[in-house]
Amino acid sequence: MHYWVAIILGMVEGLTEFLPVSSTGHMILTADLLNFTDEKAKTFEIVVQLGSILAVVVLYWRRFLSVLGWERQRVKRPRLNLLHIILAMVPAGVLGVALHGVIKQYLFGAQTVLIGLIAGGILMIVAEKLPRRTTAQSLDEISYKQAFGIGLFQCLALWPGFSRSGATIAGGLLLGTTHKAAAEFTFLVAVPVMVGASGLDLLKSYQNLSMDDLGFFIAGFITAFVVAMLAIVSFLKLLQRFKLTPFAYYRFVIAVLFYFFILR
C-alpha cells in the first residue's frame, strides 16, 4: 500500500477525531474511496487514532498533571479533578465493554453510520436552539453532576457515526456548560476512553501488523498526531465563533455523500 494512502487517512483521522463530525464516518467513506477496507485497514485505523489521542496529551499535559494531582495548586479553589473524569468515563466504559462484541458485529456498517451522522446532527442543533442557563463557564466550574451527565451523553457515541465530541459537547451545552468548557472536557475524557477502546481493539487485531507495514503505519500515526494538534486548536476558535450548528449541517452533507458513495 502506498504511503500517500497512509498520509491521507492520517489527515482525515486527525482532522475529524475531535470535531463533532464523526471520524468513523469520514474514515469509512475515505477508506472505501481509496479501496483500503481489509483487516489491515481496520488495524491501521486503530493506530492512527492513537496518534490523535497523543495530540491531546501533548496539548493538555499540564491539565492532566493537575487532574492526577501531580501539580501543586498555588491558589486553593475548586478545580477539575480525577473524579470528574472517572464519572464521565464510567457510563460509556461499562456499556462499551458490555456491548463491545455487539457493536463491532452489528453496528459498524454503512447504514448505521448514516443514521448516526443524521441523529448526531439533530442533537447538536437541538442543543444550540433550546434555552438554557449556563452554570459552568470553564473546565474548573464543571460539577460532578454535569460530568456524569456528559458521560451519559457520551454513551450515544457508541453508535458509530454519532461522534463522541458531538454527543458530549451537545450534552454539555444542555447541562449548562459553555462551548469551550464542554469541548475541552470532551478532549480530556476522550484520552482514557479512547486508549482503553483502541487498546482492546489492538489486542484483538495485532496479528495484522508486520514489520513490512511499519513505515506505512508510522506515516499514518505521525500525520494524525500533527493534524489533530492543529485541528484541536482551530476547532476551539471556530466553536467560539460559529457554535455547533454549521458542523451539524456539514454532517448532513456527509450523510448524503455516504448514501451515494457507500450505500448505492
Side-chain angles (χ1 to χ4, degrees), residues 209-225:
L209 295 170
S210 69
M211 290 303 295
D212 294 337
D213 298 316
L214 185 61
F216 182 84
F217 278 71
I218 290 175
F221 180 92
I222 293 175
T223 302
F225 168 70

Side-chain angles (χ1 to χ4, degrees), residues 123-135 170-177 179:
L123 174 64
M124 289 158 59
I125 292 174
V126 170
E128 288 288 3
K129 300 298 182 183
L130 283 182
R132 60 184 181 275
R133 185 171 69 91
T134 301
T135 58
L173 294 179
L174 291 171
L175 293 168
T177 73
H179 291 79

Side-chain angles (χ1 to χ4, degrees), residues 34 116 139 151 254:
L34 295 174
L139 269 175
I254 291 298

Side-chain angles (χ1 to χ4, degrees), residues 34-218:
L34 295 174
N35 195 30
F36 184 46
T37 57
D38 57 10
E39 290 301 315
K40 187 177 294 183
K42 296 178 182 178
T43 306
F44 176 81
E45 289 176 13
I46 299 168
V47 172
V48 293
Q49 189 175 60
L50 292 172
S52 295
I53 297 171
L54 182 60
V56 178
V57 175
V58 170
L59 286 171
Y60 288 92
W61 67 273
R62 287 187 182 278
R63 175 61 74 169
F64 279 110
L65 290 181
S66 174
V67 166
L68 294 172
W70 293 346
E71 187 180 66
R72 289 185 177 181
Q73 288 183 229
R74 294 182 179 180
V75 180
K76 294 295 183 181
R77 57 184 174 84
R79 297 193 67 176
L80 188 80
N81 58 54
L82 188 58
L83 183 55
H84 287 90
I85 305 297
I86 293 173
L87 286 171
M89 285 175 53
V90 167
V94 172
L95 200 60
V97 171
L99 300 178
H100 183 267
V102 175
I103 292 170
K104 288 294 181 182
Q105 184 175 356
Y106 296 107
L107 296 185
F108 267 81
Q111 290 182 331
T112 52
V113 170
L114 181 64
I115 293 170
L117 283 166
I118 295 172
I122 293 172
L123 174 64
M124 289 158 59
I125 292 174
V126 170
E128 288 288 3
K129 300 298 182 183
L130 283 182
R132 60 184 181 275
R133 185 171 69 91
T134 301
T135 58
Q137 296 288 340
S138 68
L139 269 175
D140 292 319
E141 293 178 352
I142 292 176
S143 67
Y144 293 131
K145 183 178 179 180
Q146 287 172 322
F148 183 71
I150 291 172
L152 291 176
F153 274 97
Q154 186 171 221
C155 292
L156 294 172
L158 294 173
W159 186 286
F162 211 100
S163 170
R164 179 180 293 103
S165 59
T168 52
I169 294 173
L173 294 179
L174 291 171
L175 293 168
T177 73
T178 61
H179 291 79
K180 184 178 181 182
E184 290 188 325
F185 187 65
T186 295
F187 298 157
L188 297 180
V189 174
V191 172
V193 171
M194 290 169 62
V195 166
S198 297
L200 184 61
D201 284 339
L202 198 58
L203 283 174
K204 294 183 176 183
S205 61
Y206 73 92
Q207 65 273 10
N208 295 319
L209 295 170
S210 69
M211 290 303 295
D212 294 337
D213 298 316
L214 185 61
F216 182 84
F217 278 71
I218 290 175

Side-chain angles (χ1 to χ4, degrees), residues 2 4 114 147 151 184 191 200 223 227 230 238 241:
H2 297 291
W4 62 267
L114 181 64
E184 290 188 325
V191 172
L200 184 61
T223 302
V227 174
L230 297 173
L238 289 172
R241 183 175 180 182

